[in-house]
């Protein structure tokens, strides 16, 4: 980030920002590059001509030692000694804060993620929203934002009437307490398998009792809710997930009528076949249904109320919804309705869409009881991690704790490594591989670096005049890229950029580790390589922490 800022400032052009300075695909061309293609329209010249003119006007100094123009790119080579000292000194000084920023100071970001359904266990399909939202939460905190993590609970609807009906017909309090959420879910599944019209009618009546404040019905509902939150908290703790609000759908029950009234006052609400809608045909969308013909509210009604409440309560800079891409239309409709209501902040609402996660053996249905529970995926990953670690290092101490760190890391990384919009088929063998693009590979690199430092066991002093070799320079440049990578991940709502960064840095360090002697090197080379190893360990740890993944000392 230092060099990007330095180059952009020295070029002194309004149309060039630090983000425009990139890493060239071939390091022999330079350490940084400015693509001049976007400047062609500004200056009405070819990118090749622009690059050549900028090269001729750029004065080299003790920071930038060489400038060249190649095929429309302006390439910069930095002073290698200065680069090494700048990057390694900064990492040593900033430690766990390396890569952070105060860019978000004074701004609040709300993130709506995970959004569990009361009385339903976590299944593998909940993995992406939970870890993607959790990582974004950490990234924005790291950048100085005030972040509000919101678990918009699915705690409203006729399914709770069904659950009460099933419990009163087949349930036993002691058995449900003992079985927890899985016992509740079994009752729900049984209801859907056996319900006749009489039971469906009873379920609707129980839901009406909940809405009308009936004591018994609400006590049962609150009990189901407590059992659910106790269960999910265990998983959140394992995955290092944090929330600041659990205000769910039910919370907005008394906040929807003012929204409906405002829609009417502004002549936005129309009647259609007995229902109340906002007509969005002129915007290329079907109507947004606000009230059914029987007067019942819908998801859109509650989401409108939630958006207005969040703006009034948190005055957010942005409000993110980490929800699967199947809800693209829903959020387009909600955001458009807010815009039509005159909410200028509607532009600050963002649907962070993601693809689906499945296992290699197929589809799920909660209603039919055919599901893959997330807790089982976590347990299996931890068990397999233990088996792999025990096979590779049978004498390792604390294998159980290390297996937890490795197994949980594999679950999280497996969901975050690919671009968020891609569907993911989760493979145990793939995510737990010591080779390739996995968290296990990155964690093992950390353990390797930690081992080197532990064997040396003394304080490390960075030599100021050491000129790094090409392998060392590659590692240093990768280290220098973390701050910009974090900013890019925040801007694009894409933690995969940090996951891929961690793999890239690990690969570069391992190549250096193989090619260059460390503990058996002499003089300044030894001191420098130990400093480099220390910086890699710190930086990989920072990157993994932003994904919610821990670093074991040994593996």
């Amino acid at each position: 980030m230092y060099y990007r800022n330095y180059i952009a400032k020295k070029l002194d052009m309004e149309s060039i920002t630090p983000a425009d300075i990139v890493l060239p695909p071939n390091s022999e061309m330079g350490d940084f590059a400015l693509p001049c293609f976007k400047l062609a329209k500004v200056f009405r010249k070819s990118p090749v001509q622009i690059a050549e003119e900028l090269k001729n006007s750029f004065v080299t100094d003790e920071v930038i030692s060489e400038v060249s123009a190649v095929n429309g790119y302006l390439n910069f080579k930095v002073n290698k000694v200065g680069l090494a000292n700048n990057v390694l000194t900064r990492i040593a000084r900033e430690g766990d804060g390396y890569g952070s920023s105060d860019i978000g100071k004074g701004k609040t970001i709300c993130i709506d993620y995970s959004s569990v359904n009361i009385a339903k266990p976590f299944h593998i399909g909940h993995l992406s929203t939970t870890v993607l939202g959790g990582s974004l939460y950490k990234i924005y905190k790291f950048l100085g934002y005030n972040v509000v993590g919101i678990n918009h609970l699915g705690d409203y609807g006729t399914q709770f009437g069904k659950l009460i009906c099933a419990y009163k017909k087949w349930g036993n309090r002691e058995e449900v307490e003992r079985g927890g959420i899985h016992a509740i879910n079994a009752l729900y599944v049984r209801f859907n398998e056996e319900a006749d019209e009489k039971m469906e009618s009873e379920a609707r009546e129980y839901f009406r009792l909940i809405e009308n404040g009936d004591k018994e019905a609400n006590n049962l509902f609150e009990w189901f809710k407590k059992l659910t939150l106790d269960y999910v908290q265990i998983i959140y703790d394992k995955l290092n997930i944090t929330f600041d609000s659990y205000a769910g759908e039910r919370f907005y029950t008394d906040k929807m009528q003012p929204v409906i009234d405002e829609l009417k006052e502004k002549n936005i609400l129309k009647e259609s076949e007995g229902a109340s809608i906002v007509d969005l045909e002129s915007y290329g969308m079907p109507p947004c249904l606000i009230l059914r013909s029987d007067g019942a509210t819908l998801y859109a009604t509650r989401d409108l109320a939630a958006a207005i409440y969040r703006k009034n309560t948190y005055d957010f800079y942005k409000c993110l919804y980490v929800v699967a891409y199947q809800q693209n239309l829903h959020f387009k409709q909600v955001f458009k309705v807010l815009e039509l209501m005159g909410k200028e902040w509607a532009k600050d609402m963002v649907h962070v869409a993601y693809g689906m996660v499945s296992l290699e053996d197929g589809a799920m249905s909660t209603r039919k009881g055919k599901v893959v529970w997330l807790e089982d995926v976590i347990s299996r990953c931890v068990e397999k991690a233990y088996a792999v670690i025990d096979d590779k290092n049978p004498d390792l101490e604390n294998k159980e704790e290390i297996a937890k760190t490795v197994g949980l890391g594999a679950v999280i990384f497996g969901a975050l490594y690919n671009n968020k919009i891609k569907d993911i088929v989760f493979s145990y063998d793939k995510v737990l591989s010591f080779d390739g693009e996995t968290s296990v590979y990155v964690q093992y690199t950390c353990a390797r670096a930690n081992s080197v430092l532990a064997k040396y066991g003394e304080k490390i002093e960075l030599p100021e005049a050491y000129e790094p070799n090409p392998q060392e320079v590659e590692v240093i440049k990768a280290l220098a890229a973390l701050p910009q990578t974090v900013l890019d991940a925040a801007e694009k709502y894409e933690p995969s950029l940090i996951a891929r960064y961690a793999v890239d840095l690990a690969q570069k360090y391992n190549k250096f580790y193989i090619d260059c002697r460390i503990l058996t090197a002499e003089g300044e080379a030894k001191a420098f390589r130990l400093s480099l190893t220390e910086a890699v360990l710190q930086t990989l740890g920072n990157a993994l922490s932003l994904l919610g993944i821990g670093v074991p000392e040994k593996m």
Side-chain angles (χ1 to χ4, degrees):
M1 193 64 186
Y2 167 81
Y3 288 94
R4 287 181 167 91
N5 284 327
Y6 186 88
I7 292 168
K9 187 175 181 180
K10 188 155 184 176
L11 286 168
D12 192 23
M13 298 169 64
E14 287 185 7
S15 51
I16 296 175
T17 69
D20 295 318
I21 312 300
V22 301
L23 296 177
N26 183 349
S27 60
E28 292 181 3
M29 297 171 65
D31 300 304
F32 297 96
L34 171 67
C36 296
F37 304 97
K38 82 168 193 174
L39 300 174
K41 286 186 177 180
V42 178
F43 295 107
R44 299 184 181 279
K45 298 177 182 178
S46 74
V48 173
Q49 186 179 357
I50 294 169
E52 190 66 32
E53 290 177 0
L54 289 175
K55 182 200 78 170
N56 293 333
S57 64
F58 195 97
V59 180
T60 57
D61 54 24
E62 70 280 0
V63 177
I64 305 299
S65 60
E66 186 180 334
V67 182
S68 62
V70 181
N71 298 327
Y73 285 84
L74 188 64
N75 298 318
F76 305 89
K77 288 189 177 181
V78 304
N79 179 310
K80 301 299 188 290
V81 175
L83 171 67
N85 285 333
N86 178 284
V87 173
L88 297 184
T89 300
R90 182 179 174 188
I91 294 171
R93 183 180 68 246
E94 297 182 10
D96 292 345
Y98 176 62
S100 66
S101 165
D102 62 356
I103 192 173
K105 187 177 181 180
K107 299 174 182 175
T108 295
I109 289 186
C110 294
I111 310 179
D112 179 329
Y113 63 107
S114 197
S115 301
V116 294
N117 291 314
I118 298 304
K120 291 183 182 179
F122 261 133
H123 58 65
I124 186 70
H126 293 116
L127 177 60
S128 285
T129 176
T130 302
V131 299
L132 177 56
S135 180
L136 290 172
Y137 185 99
K138 294 172 180 64
I139 289 167
Y140 287 114
K141 281 270 189 184
F142 203 56
L143 294 175
Y145 289 92
N146 173 44
V147 187
V148 181
I150 301 170
N151 199 329
H152 187 71
L153 300 175
D155 58 1
Y156 189 92
T158 55
Q159 66 267 34
F160 300 108
K162 294 178 181 180
L163 195 53
I164 292 174
C165 182
Y167 172 74
K168 292 180 77 70
K169 190 173 182 65
W170 303 302
N172 175 286
R173 192 172 186 94
E174 288 184 6
E175 289 179 3
V176 171
E177 284 282 1
R178 189 165 54 249
I181 196 167
H182 289 290
I184 302 172
N185 186 67
L187 289 170
Y188 180 72
V189 171
R190 185 174 177 182
F191 180 93
N192 284 290
E193 289 175 343
E194 300 184 23
D196 54 21
E197 183 51 44
K198 182 173 181 290
M199 290 173 63
E200 292 282 1
S201 177
E202 289 176 0
R204 287 191 291 272
E205 176 60 19
Y206 280 123
F207 177 58
R208 190 187 68 79
L209 289 172
I210 293 174
E211 288 191 298
N212 291 342
D214 179 80
K215 185 176 180 180
E216 182 192 18
N218 276 280
N219 284 344
L220 285 172
F221 172 81
E222 291 298 332
W223 178 44
F224 296 149
K225 182 175 180 177
K226 180 182 183 304
L227 290 173
T228 304
L229 294 180
D230 288 347
Y231 158 81
V232 298
Q233 191 58 51
I234 294 169
I235 293 178
Y236 289 144
D237 288 344
K238 288 180 178 179
L239 295 176
N240 196 17
I241 300 296
T242 303
F243 292 100
D244 304 289
S245 167
Y246 285 84
E249 292 184 69
R250 197 176 183 210
F251 177 78
Y252 298 102
T253 302
D254 62 350
K255 298 170 180 61
M256 290 184 284
Q257 191 57 50
V259 176
I260 296 165
D261 292 341
E262 185 176 347
L263 288 168
K264 288 178 179 177
E265 288 168 11
K266 294 180 175 178
N267 295 318
I268 299 170
L269 206 61
K270 297 182 179 180
E271 188 174 317
S272 175
E273 298 179 8
S276 296
I277 66 162
V278 176
D279 185 1
L280 300 176
E281 184 179 355
S282 60
Y283 302 100
M285 287 181 273
C288 183
L289 192 57
I290 304 298
L291 293 171
R292 287 199 178 101
S293 56
D294 62 359
T297 57
L298 295 102
Y299 285 121
T301 328
R302 293 186 283 280
D303 277 343
L304 289 168
I308 293 169
Y309 173 84
R310 290 170 188 174
K311 184 62 181 178
N312 291 339
T313 304
Y314 305 113
D315 191 24
F316 55 73
Y317 168 70
K318 284 188 182 297
C319 183
L320 313 185
Y321 294 80
V322 185
V323 183
Y325 62 68
Q326 285 89 340
Q327 297 300 315
N328 282 353
L329 175 61
H330 168 76
F331 285 107
K332 283 182 181 177
Q333 290 177 311
V334 169
F335 298 166
K336 178 55 71 174
V337 171
L338 287 168
E339 182 185 323
L340 294 174
M341 292 173 75
K343 313 297 183 186
E344 55 85 22
W345 46 265
K347 67 184 188 314
D348 304 322
M349 315 283 285
V350 181
H351 176 205
V352 180
Y354 61 84
M356 303 306 290
V357 178
S358 61
L359 290 180
E360 293 169 297
D361 53 1
M364 301 174 295
S365 168
T366 309
R367 183 170 294 186
K368 296 177 181 177
K370 183 186 176 185
V371 289
V372 179
W373 303 125
L374 183 52
E375 65 198 272
D376 293 338
V377 173
I378 291 172
S379 296
R380 189 173 171 190
C381 260
V382 171
E383 289 168 8
K384 288 177 75 70
Y386 182 90
V388 172
I389 292 167
D390 188 52
D391 180 61
K392 286 184 174 288
N393 194 351
D395 298 325
L396 183 65
E397 296 180 358
N398 300 320
K399 280 184 285 189
E400 291 83 1
E401 287 304 310
I402 292 170
K404 286 180 184 176
T405 303
V406 172
L408 286 165
V411 172
I412 296 168
F413 202 85
L416 293 181
Y417 183 72
N418 291 303
N419 184 294
K420 63 181 180 291
I421 204 63
K422 289 185 177 179
D423 288 336
I424 301 167
V425 178
F426 192 88
S427 163
Y428 292 103
D429 292 334
K430 184 176 179 181
V431 300
L432 286 166
S433 172
F434 272 70
D435 301 312
E437 299 164 344
T438 66
S439 61
V440 184
Y441 174 74
V442 179
Q443 288 172 320
Y444 183 71
T445 304
C446 292
R448 167 176 276 177
N450 200 60
S451 175
V452 170
L453 297 170
K455 286 176 183 176
Y456 181 67
E458 298 177 31
K459 186 178 179 181
I460 301 164
E461 296 289 343
L462 174 67
E464 293 183 5
Y466 178 81
E467 184 164 349
N469 67 29
Q471 292 99 322
E472 292 161 348
V473 169
E474 285 303 302
V475 179
I476 292 163
K477 287 197 292 186
L479 289 168
L482 179 64
Q484 186 61 48
T485 302
V486 177
L487 290 172
D488 290 345
E491 182 182 349
K492 298 173 183 177
Y493 318 110
E494 194 63 86
S496 67
L497 296 176
I498 295 174
R500 290 179 178 274
Y501 167 84
V503 169
D504 179 67
L505 175 57
Q507 288 172 337
K508 286 182 167 63
Y509 176 77
N510 284 320
K511 186 177 187 309
F512 152 78
Y513 177 88
I514 293 167
D515 292 346
C516 303
R517 294 178 301 144
I518 302 176
L519 292 172
T520 59
E522 297 179 354
E524 289 190 340
K526 181 176 181 177
F528 180 85
R529 290 169 186 176
L530 285 165
S531 295
L532 190 63
T533 297
E534 200 170 46
V536 167
L537 177 59
Q538 179 69 67
T539 304
L540 285 178
N542 290 4
L544 288 177
S545 72
L546 292 174
L547 305 176
I549 298 173
V551 177
E553 290 188 7
K554 298 179 180 180
M555 277 178 70

